[in-house]
Amino acid sequence: MIFGASYEPLFHIGPVPVYDHVVAQWLVMIILAVVCILATRNMQVVPRGLQNFFEWIVEWCYNFFGGALGNEHAAKRYTPLLATFFLFILTSNYFGLIPGAGTIHGFVPPTSDWNITATLATIVFFAVIIVGFREQGSHYLAHFVSPYWPFLPMNILEQFARPLSLTLRLFGNIFGHEMIVAFLVLMAPFLVPMPLQALGVLTGLIQALVFTILATSYLADVVGEGH
């Protein structure tokens, strides 16, 4: 493993190599899509089963992210994006908890590869800029010279530091957990890794929340200034 990806690709699509973490990302997307389809294919006025569970998730996301964003207008617009981040990262993190996943191609946590976390962070970076212009128009540019013009270089540096921080925090925690568990499996394959795997359940949830909460705070900054 190097930076969360295997040295050799699993296969090629034309000249493009496809690695473990990419296949895992596709599997996460398929799992989420199938579950969402099953939960919404036969909607009932009185929800039950999978529909009831997903309605609870949606309601929690709107309450949680809507409260952080500060107003109902922003909640309706941007909660779907933030909820997608949370569910994708959470499901990706939990891929590494599948028994024997480290030995199965395509079952590594996608978030243990910095390419995936950097892509997620880049989406947040551009989303903040787009939302800033959408909510504030040209007044958004004033943010870069706040509170005074000499702060322009620092404000620009801050914008680029945010995705770097998001990338390394998520990648470092998930990749580090995977490496520790893999090492301990070699040392004591039946006893030692079990508590760490249990801890991984909590770690996966916390890291999904941390990434999404930070993304929410960045959006709240530009939404709050516009309202």
Side-chain angles (χ1 to χ4, degrees), residues 166-181:
L166 289 174
T167 297
L168 296 180
R169 180 181 289 106
L170 180 57
F171 158 69
N173 280 281
I174 303 304
F175 179 71
H177 177 266
E178 289 298 301
M179 291 298 98
I180 292 173
V181 171

Side-chain angles (χ1 to χ4, degrees), residues 207-219:
Q207 292 307 315
L209 280 173
V210 168
F211 185 100
T212 316
I213 288 172
L214 288 174
T216 305
S217 69
Y218 300 153
L219 290 175

Side-chain angles (χ1 to χ4, degrees), residues 96-100 177-178 181 192-202:
L97 302 180
I98 300 174
H177 177 266
E178 289 298 301
V181 171
V192 179
M194 293 177 63
L196 282 178
Q197 289 293 76
L199 181 62
V201 174
L202 181 61

Side-chain angles (χ1 to χ4, degrees), residues 30-222:
I30 291 171
I31 290 171
L32 291 175
V34 169
V35 172
C36 289
I37 291 172
L38 293 176
T40 58
R41 67 174 181 173
N42 186 26
M43 301 287 285
Q44 302 291 326
V45 176
V46 179
R48 60 184 179 182
L50 195 57
Q51 179 190 341
N52 189 44
F53 177 68
F54 254 71
E55 287 195 10
W56 175 80
I57 292 178
V58 170
E59 183 179 0
W60 179 86
C61 287
Y62 269 101
N63 291 335
F64 184 80
F65 297 123
L69 289 170
N71 61 75
E72 185 178 353
H73 160 81
K76 289 182 178 179
R77 277 191 167 183
Y78 308 119
T79 293
L81 173 64
L82 296 168
T84 301
F85 275 131
F86 176 71
L87 291 175
F88 176 82
I89 294 172
L90 182 65
T91 308
S92 298
N93 291 349
Y94 284 169
F95 247 52
L97 302 180
I98 300 174
T103 62
I104 305 174
H105 288 311
F107 277 84
V108 297
T111 43
S112 67
D113 185 273
W114 72 270
N115 294 284
I116 302 297
T117 60
T119 300
L120 295 171
T122 301
I123 295 173
V124 174
F125 174 78
F126 284 107
V128 170
I129 295 175
I130 293 170
V131 170
F133 280 108
R134 182 179 188 179
E135 298 292 336
Q136 303 181 44
S138 59
H139 293 290
Y140 171 66
L141 295 175
H143 166 77
F144 293 96
V145 293
S146 177
Y148 304 105
W149 275 97
F151 284 83
L152 176 62
M154 294 181 62
N155 288 332
I156 293 177
L157 180 62
E158 178 188 12
Q159 297 302 311
F160 285 97
R162 286 176 173 181
L164 179 62
S165 174
L166 289 174
T167 297
L168 296 180
R169 180 181 289 106
L170 180 57
F171 158 69
N173 280 281
I174 303 304
F175 179 71
H177 177 266
E178 289 298 301
M179 291 298 98
I180 292 173
V181 171
F183 175 76
L184 291 178
V185 164
L186 296 177
M187 301 295 294
F190 297 106
L191 298 178
V192 179
M194 293 177 63
L196 282 178
Q197 289 293 76
L199 181 62
V201 174
L202 181 61
T203 301
L205 174 61
I206 290 174
Q207 292 307 315
L209 280 173
V210 168
F211 185 100
T212 316
I213 288 172
L214 288 174
T216 305
S217 69
Y218 300 153
L219 290 175
D221 286 341
V222 295

Side-chain angles (χ1 to χ4, degrees), residues 15-29:
V16 180
V18 179
Y19 294 89
D20 277 7
H21 65 276
V22 177
V23 175
Q25 178 182 255
W26 292 345
L27 290 174
V28 169
M29 294 166 62

